[in-house]
């Protein structure tokens, strides 16, 4: 008999590539993880891991078992959801990992809606960068993630996750008032900013990937002179004449835009795609389903006209 708990351990090792990192994600000791893996190899009769430099990688048998593990773990999530539904009385806590503007745009309104529609559901919010919430979800640190598309993210067809698209928002160009294109009303071509110094997020931030993709599609690599993950700082630097930037429209809320010109750009790639995700099988859990519905309702009610007016004021 294969112990499902050991399948979770195998999945964690496959995700994190080292026993130590997997142990930290599972709140176990490295010794306990090694013992579980050794027991799993004994149960299956196959070697499942190979040393790979300082880490480990799955053998062919390990890859086969991992595919089944994802299906088994998803089915266990469904079983828990069905049992919770049978118990009725949907009351309890759901931990949600989300990035700051996602919290402001959809998660906070969802909390307000849940107070009316599902008062027994309590949300615990963890502020996480857009590329951190999915690993937190897969590691069991969160029950639900509000995340963005980024390079290296789990694919849309990843069987470990069920996704719910929420919204897509454009990036807008932020220019010093002294910039030659600051007075232009028409959408700017990203290529027209190729010669400028740029201000942007650090590598690893999903918004950094969006900026790079938009610029690469326009035929150039941006000359990133200043780096900050705080868009208020990005706007302040642009206001001081330090460079140009592409910033998600909602991230301009709360920034002092008096010293900059904010203009739309002509690139469809300059878009942040936001979605909610849960572990496969958990989407019908009586605590999680109301949260997904509330997030979808909040996303549908986003006032994009107001957001655009704010960003271009």
């Amino acid at each position: 008999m294969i112990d499902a708990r050991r399948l979770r351990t195998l999945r964690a090792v496959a995700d994190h590539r080292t026993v130590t990192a997997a142990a930290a994600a599972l709140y176990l000791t490295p010794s306990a993880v090694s013992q579980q893996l050794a027991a799993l190899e004994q149960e299956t009769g196959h070697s499942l891991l190979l040393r790979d430099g300082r880490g480990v990688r799955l053998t062919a048998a390990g890859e086969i078992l991992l595919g089944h593990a994802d299906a088994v773990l998803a089915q266990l999530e469904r079983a828990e959801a069905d049992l919770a539904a049978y118990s009725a009385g949907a009351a309890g806590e759901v931990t949600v990992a989300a990035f700051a503007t996602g919290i402001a745009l959809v998660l906070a309104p969802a909390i307000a809606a849940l107070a009316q529609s599902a008062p027994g559901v309590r949300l615990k919010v963890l502020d996480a960068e857009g590329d951190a919430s999915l690993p937190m979800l897969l590691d069991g640190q969160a029950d639900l993630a509000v995340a963005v598309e980024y390079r290296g993210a789990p694919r849309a067809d990843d069987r470990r996750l069920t996704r719910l698209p929420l919204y897509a928002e454009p990036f807008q160009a932020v220019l010093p008032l002294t910039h030659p294109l600051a007075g232009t009303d028409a959408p700017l071509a990203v290529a027209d900013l190729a010669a400028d110094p740029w201000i942007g997020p650090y590598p690893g931030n999903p918004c950094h990937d969006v900026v790079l993709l938009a610029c690469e599609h326009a035929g150039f690599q941006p000359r990133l002179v200043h780096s900050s993950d705080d868009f208020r700082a990005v706007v302040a630097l642009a206001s001081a004449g330090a460079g140009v930037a592409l910033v998600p429209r909602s991230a301009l809320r709360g920034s002092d835009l008096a010293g900059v010109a904010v203009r739309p750009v002509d690139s469809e790639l300059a878009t942040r795609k936001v979605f909610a995700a849960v572990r496969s099988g958990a989407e019908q859990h009586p605590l999680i389903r109301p949260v997904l519905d509330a997030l979808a309702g909040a996303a549908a009610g986003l006032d994009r006209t107001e957001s655009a007016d704010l960003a271009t004021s």
Side-chain angles (χ1 to χ4, degrees), residues 256-304:
D256 182 0
L257 304 178
V260 295
V262 180
R263 297 291 178 263
V265 295
D266 65 354
S267 174
E268 293 184 1
L269 293 176
T271 302
R272 175 158 67 175
K273 297 178 181 178
V274 181
F275 60 93
V278 298
R279 292 183 293 275
S280 290
E283 60 272 12
Q284 295 304 327
H285 191 286
L287 292 178
I288 291 177
R289 184 73 254 170
V291 181
L292 289 172
D293 291 342
L295 286 170
L302 284 176
D303 189 344
R304 290 179 172 81

Side-chain angles (χ1 to χ4, degrees), residues 4-307:
R5 292 171 298 177
R6 292 167 186 154
L7 293 179
R8 292 189 188 277
T9 302
L10 181 68
R11 167 41 76 188
V13 172
D15 285 342
H16 294 280
R17 301 297 182 182
T18 70
V19 169
T20 300
L26 295 170
Y27 299 100
L28 297 173
T29 64
S31 176
V33 169
S34 296
Q35 289 173 16
Q36 289 197 23
L37 293 171
L40 186 58
E41 289 183 328
Q42 186 173 7
E43 288 171 347
T44 60
H46 291 278
S47 295
L48 303 175
L49 296 171
L50 293 172
R51 290 286 178 187
D52 186 13
R54 295 184 178 181
V56 294
R57 61 182 175 86
L58 298 185
T59 63
E63 293 286 358
I64 291 171
L65 182 59
L66 187 65
H68 289 287
D70 290 338
V72 169
L73 295 175
Q75 190 60 43
L76 287 174
E77 293 278 0
R78 294 186 188 97
E80 291 181 4
D82 288 346
L83 288 171
Y86 176 77
S87 298
E93 184 176 84
V94 176
T95 301
V96 183
F99 61 102
T101 50
I103 293 172
L105 281 184
V106 292
L107 189 50
I111 291 174
L114 285 168
Q116 301 298 319
S117 63
V121 178
R122 304 184 309 276
L123 294 193
K124 177 181 179 181
V125 179
L126 304 178
D127 188 347
E129 292 295 339
D131 59 340
S133 57
L134 290 179
M136 292 171 69
L137 174 65
L138 291 170
D139 287 343
Q141 299 175 48
D143 304 306
L144 189 152
V146 176
V148 300
E149 296 286 0
Y150 62 93
R151 288 177 177 175
R155 290 164 49 96
D157 60 356
D158 192 311
R159 293 190 299 172
R160 295 173 294 167
L161 298 172
T162 296
R163 294 188 180 206
L164 172 68
L166 293 177
Y167 64 92
E169 65 169 327
F171 281 54
Q172 295 189 301
V174 178
L175 312 175
L177 291 178
T178 56
H179 194 280
L181 298 176
T184 303
D185 291 328
L188 299 179
V190 175
D192 290 343
L193 305 176
D196 288 286
W198 279 71
I199 312 159
Y202 284 100
N205 185 316
C207 291
H208 177 90
D209 292 343
V210 173
V211 172
L212 253 59
L213 283 171
C215 293
E216 288 169 1
H217 189 259
F220 71 98
Q221 289 282 340
R223 182 164 55 91
L224 194 63
V225 176
H226 306 287
S227 297
S228 175
D229 288 334
D230 186 333
F231 287 114
R232 290 171 299 179
V234 170
V235 170
L237 287 169
S239 179
V244 301
L246 292 180
V247 176
R249 186 171 61 188
S250 64
L252 291 168
R253 290 184 170 184
S255 294
D256 182 0
L257 304 178
V260 295
V262 180
R263 297 291 178 263
V265 295
D266 65 354
S267 174
E268 293 184 1
L269 293 176
T271 302
R272 175 158 67 175
K273 297 178 181 178
V274 181
F275 60 93
V278 298
R279 292 183 293 275
S280 290
E283 60 272 12
Q284 295 304 327
H285 191 286
L287 292 178
I288 291 177
R289 184 73 254 170
V291 181
L292 289 172
D293 291 342
L295 286 170
L302 284 176
D303 189 344
R304 290 179 172 81
T305 301
E306 178 186 347
S307 182

